[in-house]
Structure formats: structure tokens, C-alpha cells
Amino acid sequence: MKLKIIFCTILAALSLLAFSGASAYADAIAEPVNQFYWDNPRACDYINWRSFEVLEDSSILDSPINGRTNGSIRAGETVQVGFAYTDDEGVKWGCCSFFDDDRQDGWVEMSKLSEIYNVFTFLDEHESELRDYSGELDEYIPKERVVLWKYPFSEECVSVKAERWYTKADYPYTNEIADKCWTDENGNVWVYSGRWVTKDAYTYDSFWVFLPAPELTDLSSFGIDISANEGTSVSGQLMTDEETLAAYNAAANSLNGTESAYLLPLCLSLGAVVVSAAMIKLMKKKN
């Protein structure tokens, strides 16, 4: 009896390990390097990482409640804020993070910052108008590409080649292809996903697809005046085609190790079979 228990335990453990490499995508949220945040993570609201313009010269505080200065920001500068905190007096603070210099992350009153319009601004403004995605793009097979927009009516977009695009029939993940839909004033539907995944395991976070014409960048015939520049926007500057290709290749190369992730589960699966056969043979001899 004990032998059977040991056998089942080993088999279960090996099975869990074997399938631990199954395809799944989970967001790893970048967090500020700040002691107050680390001490009070539940009190800080994640607002997605957004860019803000600094309205006036301000001190950066180590904590929104102790008033100790650890740096400064200047008017006209762009800062990144991912988390906000509201103090007992109702003042909202943003934790500024600095990725391009050696300044320490710290807190600034949000009233001294002006958000630079982005996809999350759009989502906030139209939250009540959004509806759940219900398969609108499940059967879509692109001819040449699918155009992903930063947000509806934006002037920036990026193209995904047709051969990299999933339909529902070959989509390997348990979640839906997209998340939300929004209808503009002309009756045109836009489809949003927090993460579009392509067949080469590349991801495009927080983009929209124009449902009536997913492959077009000139949408003027639909009553929308957009003259889009294709490419990937970084800090408000449009990358050249060469820079976009280089960035894509770098991302693709970083994912080349994905296939090796299945080697361990495969070995463990084979190991489970071998161990199972040996244990069964042993039990038969005992009997």
C-alpha cells in the first residue's frame, strides 16, 4: 500500500512538472524602486505606465507622507508614472520612475503633472462605451497584414504580416483573441486587446484593430480623417522602417529560447513514463 502511495506521488509530481511549460501569457508589472511603495503596495493604485509632462519645477519626495526630498523634476520634462497614492487629505500622488538617468524614483503631486494622451487615456474617457469582445475577429483571415492602431483616431499604427496572424481556429491560448469593442460616432467598430499575440510569439500590448477594414491605414472613406504613419512610436518619435525592423528582430531573437522551454517538460514526461513502468513492474513482482 505504501509503495502505491509513493508511486502515485512521484507520478503526480512528474506530471505537474512536465506540463508546467504549457503556453501561457501572464503580465509581469514593472514596479518602482521606492521604499514607500514596497512598504505599502496595497495602498498604491496601478494606473498602467503612462507618460506625463511636468507642469512646474517640483521636488521628488522619498514618500508622500514624510516630505523628505530625494531629487527634482523640471517643467517641460516627460516622466513615467505607473502607480498612484491618495493620502488622508485626498491629495493624489504619482510615483515617478526614471529609466534613462540615475535619479531615484519618488513621489510628486499629480496636480503638477499633465498626462500625455495615450491608449489608457482613451480607455478612461470611453470606459462606459466599451463592450466585451464577442468574436468579431475570430474568423478574419488577412490578405497582406493587420494594422494595429495605438488608439482610435490616433495617427500612429504598426503592421502585422498576414502569416503571423491568428484566427480562432488556430489560436492556442485559453483567453479570447481580444478584450473589448468600441463603436465610434460613424458606427465603425474598433477592437481592443491588452495583448495581441502573433504566431511567432511576439506580442503587441494595448492596440486597436479597425474592424471594417483591418488592413487599411487611410480610413477617410469611413468618415475618419486619419493620415497614419506606420511604425512603432517610442517617446513620441516615430522610428524609421530600419529601426522598426531592427527592434522586431531583437525581440524575435530574444524569443528563440522559447522552444527550448519545452525540452524539460518533454524529458520529464519521458521520465514519468519510465518511472511508471518500473514501479508497475516492481508492484507486480511484490504481488
Side-chain angles (χ1 to χ4, degrees), residues 20-72:
S20 63
S23 298
Y25 283 90
D27 292 328
I29 299 174
E31 298 178 304
V33 182
N34 177 262
Q35 191 61 49
F36 178 83
Y37 169 77
W38 290 341
D39 291 340
N40 305 276
R42 294 180 181 274
C44 300
D45 298 319
Y46 177 56
I47 61 171
N48 291 296
W49 284 97
R50 310 187 188 202
S51 298
F52 290 81
E53 181 182 354
V54 180
L55 298 177
E56 58 183 87
D57 293 357
S58 304
S59 296
I60 304 170
L61 303 185
D62 177 62
S63 160
I65 60 177
N66 69 15
R68 186 168 58 246
T69 301
N70 68 7
S72 63

Side-chain angles (χ1 to χ4, degrees), residues 11-232:
L11 185 60
L14 288 172
S15 297
L16 287 172
L17 286 170
F19 290 100
S20 63
S23 298
Y25 283 90
D27 292 328
I29 299 174
E31 298 178 304
V33 182
N34 177 262
Q35 191 61 49
F36 178 83
Y37 169 77
W38 290 341
D39 291 340
N40 305 276
R42 294 180 181 274
C44 300
D45 298 319
Y46 177 56
I47 61 171
N48 291 296
W49 284 97
R50 310 187 188 202
S51 298
F52 290 81
E53 181 182 354
V54 180
L55 298 177
E56 58 183 87
D57 293 357
S58 304
S59 296
I60 304 170
L61 303 185
D62 177 62
S63 160
I65 60 177
N66 69 15
R68 186 168 58 246
T69 301
N70 68 7
S72 63
I73 50 178
R74 299 186 64 82
E77 185 179 355
T78 298
V79 295
Q80 307 298 320
V81 177
F83 290 84
Y85 171 80
T86 303
D87 63 25
D88 293 339
E89 297 181 358
V91 177
K92 191 171 184 178
W93 299 77
C95 189
C96 299
S97 292
F98 303 94
F99 305 104
D100 299 325
D101 58 53
D102 58 0
R103 281 179 291 181
Q104 297 181 45
D105 294 356
W107 299 84
V108 176
E109 290 185 36
M110 295 291 283
S111 61
K112 298 180 179 181
L113 306 174
S114 176
E115 184 174 356
I116 298 172
Y117 202 91
N118 59 68
V119 61
F120 303 114
T121 316
F122 184 92
L123 289 169
D124 288 345
E125 289 182 348
H126 299 276
E127 182 178 8
S128 63
E129 303 166 12
L130 301 175
R131 61 176 176 81
D132 289 338
Y133 174 78
S134 55
E136 286 80 356
L137 278 172
D138 284 0
E139 309 302 325
Y140 182 70
I141 301 176
K143 295 179 180 178
E144 297 182 3
R145 63 182 181 178
V146 175
V147 177
L148 303 180
W149 298 86
K150 298 202 73 164
Y151 52 85
F153 309 116
S154 67
E155 294 183 353
E156 296 172 5
C157 58
V158 62
S159 294
V160 177
K161 291 184 178 180
E163 59 266 25
R164 298 171 57 213
W165 189 257
Y166 278 120
T167 63
K168 187 65 174 179
D170 55 15
Y171 193 65
Y173 310 109
T174 56
N175 57 299
E176 294 289 341
I177 286 179
D179 301 322
K180 298 289 182 180
C181 290
W182 177 75
T183 304
D184 64 32
E185 61 181 7
N186 295 311
N188 302 307
V189 176
W190 298 75
V191 181
Y192 169 77
S193 177
R195 173 159 295 182
W196 299 98
V197 185
T198 59
K199 290 182 178 180
D200 49 7
Y202 191 68
T203 60
Y204 296 86
D205 290 348
S206 303
F207 279 91
W208 296 77
V209 171
F210 184 64
L211 186 60
E215 303 195 39
L216 296 184
T217 57
D218 180 5
L219 307 182
S220 57
S221 61
F222 294 88
I224 301 172
D225 184 16
I226 295 178
S227 299
N229 295 309
E230 290 187 62
T232 303

